[in-house]
Amino acid sequence: MNLAFKDIRFNVLRFLLTAVGVAFLMTASIGMVGLYRGIVADALLVIERIGADLWIVQGGRQGPFAEGSAVAGTMDRRAEGLSGVASARRFVQFSQQFPFAGRSLRASITGLDFPQDRGDWISLHSGRLLASGHLEAVADVSIGLRLGDMIRLGQDDYTIVGLARGMVDMGGDGLLFVTVNDAIAIAQRRTSEEVLLARASAGPAAANRSSVPQDSKIAAVLVALTPTADEAAVRRAVLAWGDANVLSRVDQRDLLLNQRLWRLRVQILAFTAVLLVVTGIVVSLIIYMLTMEKLHEIAMLKLIGAENSVIISMIAQQSFLIGAAGLVLGLGLSALIFPFFPRKVLILPADIALLGLAVAVICGFASLLGISRALKVRAQDVLS
Amino acid sequence: MSTTPILRLRDVTRHYRSGDSLVRALDGVSLEIHQGEVVGILGPSGSGKSTLLLIAGLLEPPTTGEVLMDGRTVATAQTDLDALRTFRRTHIGFIFQKANLIPFLTAVENVALALEIDSVRPREARAYAAHLLATLDLGHRLDNHPARLSGGEQQRVAVARALANAPRLLLADEPTAALDSVRGRQVIALFREIADRRQAAVAVVTHDPRALDLFDRTIELCDGRLGHG
């Protein structure tokens, strides 16, 4: 006879309410881990999918994902001339706010070196990729645009020809893909006042220049190597230019995870640990209280000769059932709630397995408290 | 009546320390209860009745003296009573003023549990438990939880549980205190029947004078000492 199941079936509402309480704590833990995974996935999205073996960035700098980076507009031509380089593309990315239908939208403008890069690596949800070198854009759905919408960026109107899903930058802003040339034009947007001020200070020849110094908008050059290329040799060659640094995909990952996102990772990990400790305390208290409620029955069980294993099994099973139910309900709640969160919450099977392990440890510890109390009960206590 | 008593207490004392003073809960008590015998243990509050029951039930060790079952010494001052859990399960049944049923188990499960703890297979345990309850006129209450049973019905379930492992000795502590006089007499009559039919020895601690005529004999405790009724 399984006493734990019998007790749960008899007090099913109490069990469910307890499990729901634990489930909310589990949901919060799953959310914290999922948020972290989402941020990492978003941060690595471009690096992993854009198909570059090497990133050539401004000399002495760590590239656009770590700090400001600007390379010469012709650096892609230089890179193409290196032995072992299959292709070189320019990379531009910057955040932009723009008005649309009375709202202010925000996007991360990302340049595709069209026609070399037509954006085949983008997760297209509907519509099509860029087919023209100008005035077309593919937007992530999170920006809030629809197919056919016209948006004004810089001095021009762009038509949304495609919608992507899950394409966001490290900050969670949806990516808006245009050609590199369009991206540069948008970045160099100047107000009339700026142009007038530039003319006044430097004459008509300066009209094409901004009063605000404008660096190159090319943040990096993406290099794809041939299968037989010697990566180290290409690196050496680029570094020999003096005005460029070179990073591999692994370098970029390391840079993002262990430098740029390090504090965030530790913060989220610490908060998750706090949540798990709170869960542990709550589950321990619940199991302890459930045990305290049953002291008389436990004394009776001892009186009729039940071995300690019967009592230990009852308490431990209840503890693990509460934990398991809390985890399952927590997963269900997570699946219901997190899709509505503004940032990606990524729930990975490996994380669920780890969380399950943590819950098992918590339940084991919690049941130890109850068991240690139960084992102190004497059969004669049934008379008290 | 066999010559070897089922229960024998030999010069049992039980002393407690309370601050600087020594409380003599039992003071040199010797008694025997034979098979088929229903013995009433009477006495005022604090006379040592419950202590006597705890020592006879192997739940507390005597300070001095010894407890014998079927002629064999089973408990002395040095005995580890926890090690006697299995012996207690198979030899002694307990009934209390409160039925002490497990609230989340049905009547039949409460009885079957005692058997399953004794390694009886669940299906057989349930069948025998149902049979026991039926013999106690509870065949129609098998699947009711204790909260759905009257006080008398709960007490009969407790009796069935105590009988489940066919113990040689049945110890009852104020089993009629929570029952009306009719139900109280019925319970003592049930002990009488059990003693006759199963040849068990039954010791009943009671204050209740309404069913004294159903005991084979009574013994009276006063200040931890024995006097015969």
Side-chain angles (χ1 to χ4, degrees), chain B residues 133-150:
Chain B
L133 287 168
T135 61
L136 294 171
D137 295 331
L138 286 169
H140 61 300
R141 293 295 215 175
L142 298 182
D143 295 318
N144 285 116
H145 284 93
R148 311 271 297 176
L149 301 174
S150 69

Side-chain angles (χ1 to χ4, degrees), chain B residues 43-77:
Chain B
S45 294
S47 60
K49 303 190 298 295
S50 292
T51 306
L52 178 70
L53 209 68
L54 290 174
I55 290 173
L58 310 180
L59 295 171
E60 289 221 1
T63 306
T64 61
E66 56 184 357
V67 181
L68 296 90
M69 296 276 295
D70 287 323
R72 191 160 62 98
T73 301
V74 287
T76 62

Side-chain angles (χ1 to χ4, degrees), chain A residues 1 6 296 305-306 380, chain B residues 59 85 89 100 109 116 161:
Chain A
M1 190 181 303
K6 295 280 181 191
H296 205 71
Q380 54 265 49
Chain B
L59 295 171
R85 208 181 279 192
R89 181 171 69 220
N100 289 315
E109 286 168 346
E116 285 191 36
R161 181 177 61 190

Side-chain angles (χ1 to χ4, degrees), chain A residues 306-320:
Chain A
E307 299 295 340
N308 285 339
S309 59
V310 173
I311 295 154
I312 290 169
S313 165
M314 177 177 73
I315 295 169
Q317 281 181 35
Q318 284 203 335
S319 178
F320 282 102

